[in-house]
Amino acid sequence: MIKKICLGVFLILSGHFAQAQKGKMDTTALMILDKMSGMFGDLSSVGFTSEISRDVAYAEGFFIKEFSSSKVKFVGPDKFSVRVSGEEKEDLYNYNGSQVIYYSFANNIYTVADAPNNLIETIDWLYQDFGVELTTADLFYPTFSKDFVEEMDYIEFLGVTHIKGDRVFHIGAANEHATIQLWIADDGYYLPRKTLITYLDGAQSYQHETDFSDWEVNNVYPEAMFEFLPPPGAKQITWIKKD
């Protein structure tokens, strides 16, 4: 998330180029971002798969690459189901409008917590209180384009390219903490196809990349998808806030 994890995006820019572009807000790029935000604001539901790779500190001055994937269903205004598969873990997060349930398939444990009464506040609450990051969730906020402009020092339309044969718009952005790229589909829906970032606020830069696929728009999902029935033998634990 931009306000929390800077989106998870990467752009290779020399220091000279980034400095030269400081303060630039490309109107074409802003129009595309507004289209994407407007589309998400109009949707009743959205589903997708995200493939994530990120650099994780392993030792001083040494990062390793970790990979994970998520199958995500968001239903406005107050439901989601996110199943995360990663290295030696598989977790489920369900939100039914009043509670969030976390379940670990590997350990057969679960926990339940009362949550805010809408999806966006619940995503923020999960990050702030428990350090849980649900994919690149800020992309799906109706206010994304406005928030993005406020966070970035410059934003530029970099042209049209292709990802797996599909035509996409390429947008770059930067501030003092990160350099960013987004690839957004040129298909009338303006759905994101890829985000990529380099964080610049540490001793060494490090990356976070997300690829999106398997989009589902305005599907009707069964209510049971957002409820949770503990499997046999599952143990309930207490969810402890990160502070």
Side-chain angles (χ1 to χ4, degrees), residues 30-69:
L30 297 183
M31 179 190 68
I32 295 167
L33 293 172
D34 284 342
K35 289 278 191 180
M36 185 183 73
S37 293
M39 175 61 66
F40 285 125
D42 290 339
L43 297 179
S44 60
S45 73
V46 64
F48 58 91
T49 298
S50 61
E51 302 287 342
I52 299 167
S53 68
R54 62 174 185 156
D55 293 335
V56 178
Y58 181 75
E60 186 174 355
F62 179 44
F63 287 85
I64 61 173
K65 190 79 72 176
E66 284 191 353
F67 299 92
S68 64
S69 64

Side-chain angles (χ1 to χ4, degrees), residues 148-168:
F148 195 63
V149 168
E150 291 176 354
E151 291 289 330
M152 296 296 108
D153 291 332
Y154 96 90
I155 301 172
E156 183 175 0
F157 176 59
L158 300 176
V160 174
T161 185
H162 292 80
I163 294 179
K164 296 182 179 179
D166 296 329
R167 180 182 167 98
V168 294

